Amino acid sequence: MGKGHRLAFLLVCLAGCCYADDATSDSNKPATTQTWIDKLKKDLLANYDRNVRPTQHYNVTHLDLKMTIRHVDIDEENSIFSVYGWVKMGWMDTRLTWSPEEYGGLRSVVFHSYYLWDPEINMHSVTLESSGSAFIGTANVRVSFDGMHNCTERLNFKSFCEMNFRRWPFDTQHCSVVLGKTTDDDMLQITTLPAEWEKNDQINPMWQIVGVTVEKYQNPMEAQYEKYNGYQYGVVVRRKVQIFNSTIIAPAIVLILMSLASFWMPAYSSEKVLLNCINAAVVCAFLLFFTIHLPLLATRTPLIVMFFSNSLYLTALSLILSVTVVNIVKSKHSKPLHPYIKGFISLPGVSMFAWIGTNQRKTTTDEEDWSGEMKNDSLTEESCSSADEASQVQLGIQQDWIQFAVILERICFVIYVFLYSVMAASYLH
């Protein structure tokens, strides 16, 4: 071989060695049409089986759960509790780890949950359209280089909740949801973190979340058929009552005062009858309002309904008493009071109730008319002195009846104050 051919052969060999070195140095770089994320996903999922638990069969897989409640709502008519928020899950999968230096410094990547192991976490309750809904399956999972998986899924869940309207509209409801998994595998350990909830009044104008408790879910009835590994979140919500203070509490106070004021109107006044009729009509209107807005199948009658119902009974009794007192005062009595009744109203502790006040002027006029009639009738039969004595006797009888009517109203006033106080205390306790 000539010198020219040998020189050409050496140049070809040298070029081939240089090309081989360049190919070797670029082997760790992705192709121009492939990103580091594409290469990482391809390498991680090459021999990955999503149906296998992400640890050895003799090791425990730890799954962390955390619920964040953003909004709650209650359908009182159907006893349906709705909760909206987020469910955060985290677990370790050592099969999906890598060195960031080998992939351009990439420390985390997002996978679609379809390609990864599914913990099959779902809501476990007697639910409606969300029955058996699993959270993993449509969400994205962020995987860190150390194998840590984090997933956040939207929570939109409805379940039945036993309502207690006993203290409506100042009621506090206790509802619960269960988050976990139905499984026979004891090697999956679920750990829950303290729940969080939004405290913004603008987000939840009707109900206020006052607390969320978390405890291990145990149901002896279900243990006979299947094992559920999960936690029960007890959500305590309180109704916001600012509007009810103006629409229910204030009118109730005014009705009580009007009912008590009827006992202090003049005994001869017929307006007290009209006042009690107005009270009865207003109370009936409120009871009709409660019938429309409260569930008819409530397990216990609300105290506010019982309060207005009892107020209607008391108003009816007050109406009967007012009619009776007006008739007693305006009627002319010829028979004296029973000695026992007269002795009772003469007691020092009872006679103080006979403060007539503005009734005196009216009763004095009635007594003068009664005295004039007695005198005219008596002139034809007896002397003037006998007529005066008879008139004084009849005036005394009339005055006793008036005093009895006034004392009866005052005693009923004290009784009504006591009854209304007991009713208000039992409701506001």
Side-chain angles (χ1 to χ4, degrees), residues 84-122:
Y84 308 90
W86 305 94
V87 174
K88 299 179 181 179
M89 290 168 280
W91 67 93
M92 181 69 70
D93 191 343
T94 56
R95 297 175 298 174
L96 300 181
T97 59
W98 70 91
S99 176
E101 293 77 10
E102 298 179 359
Y103 294 91
L106 191 62
R107 303 180 64 87
S108 65
V109 64
V110 177
F111 282 87
H112 194 278
S113 57
Y114 172 79
Y115 300 100
L116 304 179
W117 173 73
D118 187 354
E120 298 179 356
I121 298 300
N122 54 50

Side-chain angles (χ1 to χ4, degrees), residues 223-238:
Q224 301 177 6
Y225 308 99
E226 61 182 8
K227 182 179 180 180
Y228 193 84
N229 185 8
Y231 288 85
Q232 178 171 303
Y233 293 80
V235 184
V236 183
V237 294
R238 181 185 299 129

Side-chain angles (χ1 to χ4, degrees), residues 39-57 59 61 91-99 103 109 111 113-119 141 143-149 185 188:
K39 178 175 175 53
L40 176 61
K41 289 185 176 181
K42 182 179 180 180
D43 294 343
L44 292 179
L45 299 179
N47 298 314
Y48 183 84
D49 187 357
R50 63 182 302 270
N51 297 316
V52 179
R53 192 162 51 87
T55 53
Q56 294 292 346
H57 66 281
N59 291 332
T61 301
W91 67 93
M92 181 69 70
D93 191 343
T94 56
R95 297 175 298 174
L96 300 181
T97 59
W98 70 91
S99 176
Y103 294 91
V109 64
F111 282 87
S113 57
Y114 172 79
Y115 300 100
L116 304 179
W117 173 73
D118 187 354
V141 181
V143 181
S144 301
F145 71 96
D146 57 355
M148 188 64 194
H149 291 48
D185 188 2
L188 176 62

Side-chain angles (χ1 to χ4, degrees), residues 44 50 112 134 137 165 181 219 226 233 242 269 319 363 388:
L44 292 179
R50 63 182 302 270
H112 194 278
F165 295 99
K181 177 181 180 180
N219 192 335
E226 61 182 8
Y233 293 80
Q242 287 82 355
S269 177
L319 177 61
T363 54
D388 291 338

Side-chain angles (χ1 to χ4, degrees), residues 297-399:
L297 300 179
T299 55
R300 303 178 66 183
T301 303
L303 290 175
I304 188 65
V305 177
M306 297 181 62
F307 178 86
F308 276 88
S309 178
N310 294 330
S311 298
L312 182 61
Y313 293 134
L314 294 178
T315 303
L317 294 177
S318 178
L319 177 61
I320 296 174
L321 177 64
S322 299
V323 174
T324 303
V325 169
V326 171
N327 288 333
I328 290 176
V329 172
K330 291 189 175 182
S331 300
K332 295 180 173 59
H333 303 277
S334 58
K335 295 182 179 180
L337 286 173
H338 194 278
Y340 290 146
I341 299 178
K342 187 174 180 60
F344 173 74
I345 64 176
S346 300
L347 295 175
V350 179
S351 59
M352 67 178 183
F353 289 107
W355 178 71
I356 301 177
T358 56
N359 295 347
Q360 185 66 39
R361 183 165 48 190
K362 177 68 177 178
T363 54
T364 301
T365 303
D366 292 341
E367 291 171 2
E368 292 175 354
D369 295 340
W370 177 263
S371 176
E373 292 179 4
M374 292 297 300
K375 286 181 179 181
N376 293 334
D377 294 339
S378 60
L379 286 176
T380 57
E381 299 178 358
E382 299 178 348
S383 63
C384 293
S385 60
S386 299
D388 291 338
E389 293 178 359
S391 176
Q392 292 299 326
V393 172
Q394 293 298 330
L395 289 176
I397 294 175
Q398 188 72 13
Q399 186 65 29

Side-chain angles (χ1 to χ4, degrees), residues 57-163:
H57 66 281
Y58 48 80
N59 291 332
V60 177
T61 301
H62 297 274
L63 178 65
D64 295 330
L65 291 178
K66 184 177 182 180
M67 179 185 295
T68 301
I69 301 176
R70 184 171 176 81
H71 176 73
V72 296
D73 191 20
I74 297 180
D75 184 355
E76 302 176 27
E77 187 68 26
N78 299 308
S79 298
I80 297 175
F81 174 67
S82 302
V83 57
Y84 308 90
W86 305 94
V87 174
K88 299 179 181 179
M89 290 168 280
W91 67 93
M92 181 69 70
D93 191 343
T94 56
R95 297 175 298 174
L96 300 181
T97 59
W98 70 91
S99 176
E101 293 77 10
E102 298 179 359
Y103 294 91
L106 191 62
R107 303 180 64 87
S108 65
V109 64
V110 177
F111 282 87
H112 194 278
S113 57
Y114 172 79
Y115 300 100
L116 304 179
W117 173 73
D118 187 354
E120 298 179 356
I121 298 300
N122 54 50
M123 305 299 293
H124 180 74
S125 284
V126 181
T127 62
L128 299 178
E129 64 272 10
S130 55
S131 177
S133 59
F135 290 103
I136 300 296
T138 59
N140 292 326
V141 181
R142 178 168 292 277
V143 181
S144 301
F145 71 96
D146 57 355
M148 188 64 194
H149 291 48
N150 292 281
C151 175
T152 301
E153 179 65 21
R154 186 182 300 274
L155 173 63
N156 185 355
F157 183 72
K158 295 182 180 181
S159 66
F160 290 105
C161 178
E162 184 178 357
M163 311 297 294

